[in-house]
Amino acid sequence: MKILKKVLMILGVVFVMGTLIFAVKSNTVASKNTNTVVNDSIEKNVTSSYRISSIDIPEDLNFAGEVVPQEDPEIMERVDREFLVNTYWQSNALLLMKRAHKYFPVIEPILAKNGIPDDFKYLAVAESGLTNVVSHAGATGFWQIMRETGREYGLEVNSNVDERYHLEKSTEVACEYLNKWKNKYGSWTLTAAAYNAGPGGINKYMRIQKVDNYYDLLLGQETGRYVFRIMAIKEILSNPEKYGFQIDKEDMYNAVPTFTVEIDKPVSSFADFAKEYEITYKILKRHNPWLREPHLNNNSRKKYTIEIPNKGYYMESK
């Protein structure tokens, strides 16, 4: 009887150990299988043609025809940074290309008429991404114009109407401002820096550091990057395929065909006004972002020009 008990005990131990060994092996196999699935998934999600590389900087890099001192290694590190950041921020670059197709045809002739180099359209891109943004300091619109600057240069800026949001009028003001500081500095590059930092800031830096060249100045980070960022944006938007971007004409944003209506009296409801032209208030605002409230006081009977999209372009208001 004792012998039988010992035999049963030994068999029990063998059985338990065998069960444990089997469980460990099963877990190991499962783990290996899981890793194989994960690895297979990773391999399938990485295309063999996708490569991240350094950027070849153009040898003729310039801003508004003013040559960049590319023999200076410190300058070229700053240039390289902006090319890398803006090339590999792909979603932003694609959006800028799409918007540029829509808005550059408005901006370009105004710059040309005022004798401003075409490169300054990329300044507007750097300032706002071609959107009507408002900075923490209150700079507004495509050209990021401050309230007092806008009024100084003849824009109407109040709670009812803010022409800093008016693309054509704000571009005219930007041109006037840029020409003023080009006459002072004699350099488009310094003029662009002054647009960002303000002429007071640039004057202070030049006085303290006793140099009068943008590339010789030690500036704050934002202004120190500013002109290089504009040049990188210019190069990428001008040569998208060179930098790996594939975008077809049908992918671009396009201007909506419009006509204009003049008003010289108050408007109690722009929602009702919009319905007269079979559009919504939202669409009216989209084309006239300078109208800041759903009504227009206009006690002075000033003449305003309202832009209305051609009939049938949008869904009709019901």
Side-chain angles (χ1 to χ4, degrees), residues 140-282:
T140 296
F142 278 38
W143 293 95
Q144 289 291 277
I145 298 171
M146 296 295 290
R147 177 184 296 268
E148 293 308 315
T149 303
R151 287 174 173 166
E152 179 186 346
Y153 284 85
L155 295 180
E156 182 178 350
V157 181
N158 54 54
S159 61
N160 211 212
V161 169
D162 190 340
E163 291 180 329
R164 293 178 295 171
Y165 291 95
H166 193 297
L167 180 53
E168 290 87 349
K169 291 185 178 183
S170 63
T171 303
E172 291 281 1
V173 165
C175 288
E176 190 175 347
Y177 186 91
L178 292 167
N179 271 324
K180 176 181 178 179
W181 295 108
K182 171 58 163 62
N183 290 336
K184 174 179 173 58
Y185 295 120
S187 160
W188 286 118
T189 308
L190 271 178
T191 298
Y195 195 96
N196 179 254
I202 295 300
N203 293 342
K204 177 183 175 182
Y205 286 124
M206 291 196 300
R207 183 179 69 253
I208 293 172
Q209 299 175 33
K210 299 181 179 179
V211 292
D212 59 1
N213 186 303
Y214 175 80
Y215 300 106
D216 292 330
L217 283 168
L218 177 62
L219 301 165
Q221 178 167 297
E222 182 180 340
T223 309
R225 296 179 60 183
Y226 190 65
V227 174
F228 300 114
R229 184 178 175 220
I230 294 171
M231 287 187 285
I233 291 170
K234 166 190 169 184
E235 173 67 15
I236 295 164
L237 266 61
S238 300
N239 304 285
E241 291 185 2
K242 177 181 175 182
Y243 297 94
F245 294 96
Q246 182 178 338
I247 185 165
D248 298 323
K249 190 173 181 179
E250 57 266 26
D251 296 325
M252 297 294 193
Y253 300 153
N254 295 295
V256 176
T258 62
F259 62 95
T260 58
V261 174
E262 290 188 343
I263 56 172
D264 59 359
K265 58 185 179 180
V267 177
S268 60
S269 170
F270 274 122
D272 291 336
F273 180 90
K275 284 185 177 181
E276 293 177 21
Y277 297 95
E278 300 178 329
I279 58 173
T280 61
Y281 174 68
K282 180 184 77 171

Side-chain angles (χ1 to χ4, degrees), residues 168 256 258-261 279 283-284 286-288 290 305-309:
E168 290 87 349
V256 176
T258 62
F259 62 95
T260 58
V261 174
I279 58 173
I283 298 302
L284 180 71
R286 179 180 175 87
H287 287 272
N288 303 276
W290 52 274
T305 302
I306 309 290
E307 187 177 279
I308 306 293

Side-chain angles (χ1 to χ4, degrees), residues 41-62:
S41 177
I42 291 172
E43 289 173 3
K44 289 177 182 177
N45 286 333
V46 177
T47 173
S48 59
S49 63
Y50 185 71
R51 294 290 182 270
I52 298 173
S53 65
S54 295
I55 305 297
D56 290 330
I57 308 299
E59 294 180 0
D60 60 345
L61 199 62
N62 70 87

Side-chain angles (χ1 to χ4, degrees), residues 16-32:
V16 170
M17 290 182 66
T19 302
L20 290 173
I21 292 170
F22 177 78
V24 169
K25 286 184 176 180
S26 297
N27 286 339
T28 302
V29 171
S31 177
K32 287 181 179 179

